Amino acid sequence: MQSAFSLSFSQSSLTLPNRPLSSPNAAPRNLRFCGLRREAFGFSPPKQLNSCRFQVKNRRIEVSAAAGGNGAPSNKSFDYDLVIIGAGVGGHGAALHAVEKGLKTAIIEGDVVGGTCVNRGCVPSKALLAVSGRMRELQNEHHMKSFGLQVSAAGYDRQGVADHASNLATKIRNNLTNSMKALGVDILTGFGSVLGPQKVKYGKDNVITAKDIIIATGSVPFVPKGIEVDGKTVITSDHALKLESVPDWIAIVGSGYIGLEFSDVYTALGSEVVTFIEALDQLMPGFDPEISKLAQRVLINPRKIDYHTGVFASKITPAKDGRPVMIELIDAKTKEHKDTLEVDAALIATGRAPFTNGLGLENINVATQRGFIPVDERMRVIDGNGKLVPNLYCIGDANGKLMLAHAASAQGISVVEQVTGRDHVLNHLSIPAACFTHPEISMVGLTEPQAREKAEKEGFKVSIAKTSFKANTKALAENEGEGLAKMIYRPDNGEILGVHIFGLHAADLIHEASNAIALGTRIQDIKLAVHAHPTLSEVVDELFKAAKAGYFSTPYLELISTLAKATVAGKLYYEKYRLELSVSDQTDEAVSHQTDEAVFVTFDTEILNRQTFELLKLHILWSAH
């Protein structure tokens, strides 16, 4: 079956009402062609220049999983429409969306459902951090007294804390398994590999075929050379989550997300000293520098934490025969010996490595790059000759684009959209990230240095807006006023380039900004949104309101731009002159620039409002000559 959406404009229907753009009854500013991507429209050349037509072709009618189940494959020559190798968060998200789209789906898991995130990562670590947060609050006598509370000495049962983390992982793992079974996803047990085009092997000698295949095998902890892991005194995050001990002195190699979160856990649960070992010249190198500086002042300096920066741990030897863990440090640049540490334990938090060995990639001429499977922006696998491998995709940590569980899930959903006929490209700059320390850190988009580098290359200005948690009523009621929200944006058109938050529940607050980036919402629009009072969400509200962007939002101009491209003359004009439409912050005028010739046409405010489309047609006619 087919469904079509068409949008036509004629000479008589192009005149807009004579009212200012700021009128409450003006056309909605968030008009973006019903949210459809430009690539979703099939353009058909109009018979007349003053008319254009858009049509969505060959759209699949979606059938809910409850109605359709996981029935026969759409193509009888395959066992399945889709086979997913790896049942982590990414594979699970892809499987559920595939069944929703009516695909007969199987998922292969060689270990346990849930992958790293559920069993050895995000989920159990949050259980430990929930305990550390409560312990930290109960141990803060000044904080308790500020509420008028008196608390005797707080304690904890280490095994009880470990059981809480383990039980949570088990519960979530069972939930994921049951959700797939309920929808009819076939869960196949055994190590999966690619035998050839559209053919997969799992277990000992089971072979199945599928129209499309997704590799979603995730990652494992990365351990640098020279480090000996025994799982007891020299450990990775996999071991640390079992909380078999709380060492008096533990060294943490790496000060990224994993290292920061475990420093929060160990200091709250009683470790006397935590020592960071960081190869770069500053701690928390992946964060926005301003946020990193504030986080260090709050999360590191007042706690029992010291650090060494600009050094490598060239050799780490586990504790043996009454001797402590030995750590040899060398200068990251000169490689000269700097120091030797003797500690009770060492946690290796140097990131993660893709799990891509043994996948049969040689059968399809695919070579990994530093272990990662090369893919394009649509997650399609690229072979050794730079060509796309038909019907094969890779999502999540295995492709290295963004090593986050929710990014893997988003990539999986994006792939399913593509294999069911709807082109979709995921905007990775809209995917948020969070570090669940106390207080939390969250971010989306570009850091300030990244944004300024981009602005210099592309020729636009960058502005910064900030707001403090100290001005938020809810944060003050919680006695948690320590925090900062920061937004990097373009003042000329209101585009949000990045948002960074440090403070109470920062991980929850970031999503309004990430959704704004994903949907292309400009500051001029989102600053008019209403937030409940008193809530922490007002931190983000004040951040948007603090920004100074151009008076006009851009949907009208984007509409003109898209319409111009949709006509024959408009397409020719764009190909020849690369037309750009923007808003002038100084004059409040919509200005159309020709970048190849020193010619421009200005639409003043009144004309833009009343006669936009008529002028558009005249402009296209003029520019086509």
Side-chain angles (χ1 to χ4, degrees):
M1 298 178 66
Q2 294 185 8
S3 63
F5 167 77
S6 63
L7 179 64
S8 299
F9 296 90
S10 63
Q11 177 75 31
S12 60
S13 65
L14 292 180
T15 302
L16 294 177
N18 182 12
R19 59 175 180 263
L21 284 176
S22 58
S23 166
N25 297 317
R29 289 187 171 189
N30 61 349
L31 176 61
R32 296 186 188 278
F33 289 97
C34 303
L36 294 173
R37 289 177 53 85
R38 176 174 56 84
E39 294 86 349
F41 292 97
F43 293 116
S44 56
K47 294 181 180 179
Q48 297 180 357
L49 189 58
N50 62 4
S51 174
C52 57
R53 177 178 175 83
F54 303 83
Q55 187 175 37
V56 181
K57 300 179 179 178
N58 301 323
R59 305 313 308 154
R60 176 189 296 268
I61 299 297
E62 296 184 11
V63 180
S64 68
N70 193 26
S74 58
N75 190 322
K76 299 293 185 180
S77 60
F78 296 103
D79 297 316
Y80 293 93
D81 291 315
L82 179 65
V83 167
I84 304 164
I85 303 175
V89 171
H92 173 265
L96 264 58
H97 196 57
V99 174
E100 178 187 338
K101 290 286 189 177
L103 302 184
K104 182 173 176 59
T105 306
I107 194 165
I108 301 172
E109 181 51 62
D111 186 14
V112 289
V113 170
T116 294
C117 174
V118 172
N119 299 287
R120 300 173 297 278
C122 331
V123 171
S125 67
K126 298 308 147 313
L128 297 184
L129 285 159
V131 174
S132 71
R134 284 166 173 77
M135 280 296 296
R136 193 172 299 283
E137 188 172 20
L138 292 172
Q139 291 169 343
N140 190 334
E141 185 178 353
H142 176 74
H143 182 70
M144 289 290 102
K145 282 185 176 180
S146 67
F147 289 117
L149 298 176
Q150 296 179 354
V151 180
S152 58
Y156 69 94
D157 172 40
R158 182 197 57 77
Q159 189 57 53
V161 175
D163 290 345
H164 171 54
S166 176
N167 292 339
L168 179 62
T170 299
K171 182 176 182 178
I172 302 301
R173 180 171 63 248
N174 291 339
N175 288 347
L176 264 62
T177 303
N178 293 336
S179 67
M180 289 192 290
K181 287 181 177 178
L183 292 176
V185 176
D186 289 347
I187 302 176
L188 310 177
T189 302
F191 188 86
S193 61
V194 180
L195 282 182
Q198 299 174 297
K199 187 180 294 186
V200 173
K201 175 184 176 182
Y202 72 95
K204 187 175 181 180
D205 52 9
N206 303 297
V207 178
I208 54 176
T209 59
K211 183 178 182 299
D212 294 289
I213 300 168
I214 297 177
I215 296 173
T217 48
S219 63
V220 295
F222 171 68
V223 179
K225 293 181 180 179
I227 297 177
E228 181 184 347
V229 174
D230 66 350
K232 297 295 182 182
T233 59
V234 180
I235 59 178
T236 67
S237 57
D238 285 3
H239 308 106
L241 290 167
K242 298 176 183 178
L243 201 69
E244 294 182 349
S245 67
V246 179
D248 289 338
W249 186 359
I250 183 167
I252 300 178
V253 183
S255 63
Y257 296 88
I258 299 172
L260 281 175
E261 289 184 352
F262 275 105
S263 75
D264 195 287
V265 170
Y266 284 123
T267 53
L269 297 186
S271 290
E272 295 181 4
V273 182
V274 172
T275 299
F276 274 117
I277 298 171
E278 173 57 55
L280 297 180
D281 291 332
Q282 71 281 337
L283 296 175
M284 297 174 276
F287 299 86
D288 182 86
E290 187 172 6
I291 295 295
S292 176
K293 184 177 180 180
L294 176 60
Q296 181 172 335
R297 181 169 64 80
V298 176
L299 299 177
I300 294 178
N301 294 348
R303 300 178 182 178
K304 298 176 180 178
I305 298 175
D306 60 14
Y307 52 88
H308 300 264
T309 57
V311 295
F312 285 126
S314 61
K315 185 178 181 180
I316 300 181
T317 306
K320 292 180 182 178
D321 303 324
R323 292 176 297 179
V325 174
M326 304 292 292
I327 304 176
E328 295 184 13
L329 303 180
I330 61 172
D331 188 280
K333 296 177 182 177
T334 67
K335 303 300 185 290
E336 295 179 356
H337 182 268
K338 293 280 291 185
D339 202 354
T340 299
L341 303 179
E342 297 182 1
V343 298
D344 298 313
L347 168 62
I348 312 306
T350 47
R352 301 188 64 82
F355 183 68
T356 53
N357 291 331
L359 290 178
L361 299 177
E362 65 280 1
N363 297 328
I364 46 175
N365 190 33
V366 172
T368 61
Q369 299 173 359
R370 295 181 296 110
F372 295 106
I373 297 175
V375 297
D376 70 355
E377 62 179 0
R378 290 174 173 80
M379 310 303 129
R380 297 177 294 190
V381 174
I382 301 171
D383 68 15
N385 298 320
K387 298 180 179 179
L388 296 175
V389 180
N391 307 100
L392 183 63
Y393 303 82
C394 178
I395 64 172
D397 289 4
N399 69 33
K401 279 187 173 290
L402 190 58
M403 298 178 79
L404 297 168
H406 50 281
S409 181
Q411 290 172 1
I413 291 170
S414 178
V415 168
V416 171
E417 287 291 295
Q418 294 170 55
V419 301
T420 53
R422 177 174 180 253
D423 187 31
H424 185 270
V425 177
L426 180 64
N427 177 10
H428 285 80
L429 286 176
S430 71
I431 298 177
C435 184
F436 294 84
T437 48
H438 297 90
E440 296 172 345
I441 310 171
S442 63
M443 66 216 72
V444 65
L446 304 175
T447 63
E448 184 177 343
Q450 289 170 339
R452 294 198 181 281
E453 181 181 357
K454 178 181 175 69
E456 185 175 350
K457 288 181 180 179
E458 299 182 10
F460 61 84
K461 293 182 180 180
V462 166
S463 290
I464 307 295
K466 301 177 190 176
T467 186
S468 171
F469 278 67
K470 289 184 173 69
N472 181 265
T473 302
K474 186 63 162 58
L476 294 178
E478 300 278 352
N479 277 334
E480 296 284 356
E482 192 73 72
L484 173 71
K486 172 181 179 179
M487 178 169 64
I488 305 110
Y489 67 97
R490 288 183 59 165
D492 59 342
N493 63 10
E495 180 185 359
I496 301 171
L497 301 174
V499 175
H500 305 263
I501 307 174
F502 174 69
L504 183 65
H505 293 300
D508 300 310
L509 296 177
I510 196 64
H511 296 94
E512 187 171 5
S514 67
N515 288 337
I517 294 174
L519 297 173
T521 307
R522 303 301 171 115
I523 293 168
Q524 298 94 323
D525 302 316
I526 201 169
K527 69 180 356 181
L528 301 178
V530 179
H531 298 70
H533 174 76
T535 63
L536 291 172
S537 70
E538 292 175 291
V539 170
V540 182
D541 182 33
E542 291 300 322
L543 187 63
F544 294 141
K545 285 180 167 56
K548 305 297 182 184
Y551 178 77
F552 291 115
S553 183
T554 56
Y556 284 111
L557 304 178
E558 292 175 353
L559 180 61
I560 296 171
S561 172
T562 306
L563 286 171
K565 292 177 185 178
T567 63
V568 175
K571 285 182 178 179
L572 292 173
Y573 180 82
Y574 267 72
E575 290 174 3
K576 185 174 181 180
Y577 296 113
R578 299 196 305 275
L579 175 69
E580 295 179 358
L581 288 163
S582 61
V583 175
S584 171
D585 190 32
Q586 288 74 31
T587 63
D588 286 336
E589 294 172 336
V591 183
S592 171
H593 296 279
Q594 278 182 214
T595 57
D596 286 342
E597 294 186 7
V599 180
F600 65 90
V601 175
T602 299
F603 298 154
D604 67 29
T605 303
E606 184 178 2
I607 295 176
L608 176 63
N609 179 42
R610 292 188 299 151
Q611 298 178 336
T612 299
F613 298 113
E614 284 84 350
L615 277 173
L616 168 65
K617 289 179 293 182
L618 292 173
H619 181 54
I620 293 173
L621 286 169
W622 168 79
S623 61
H625 288 293

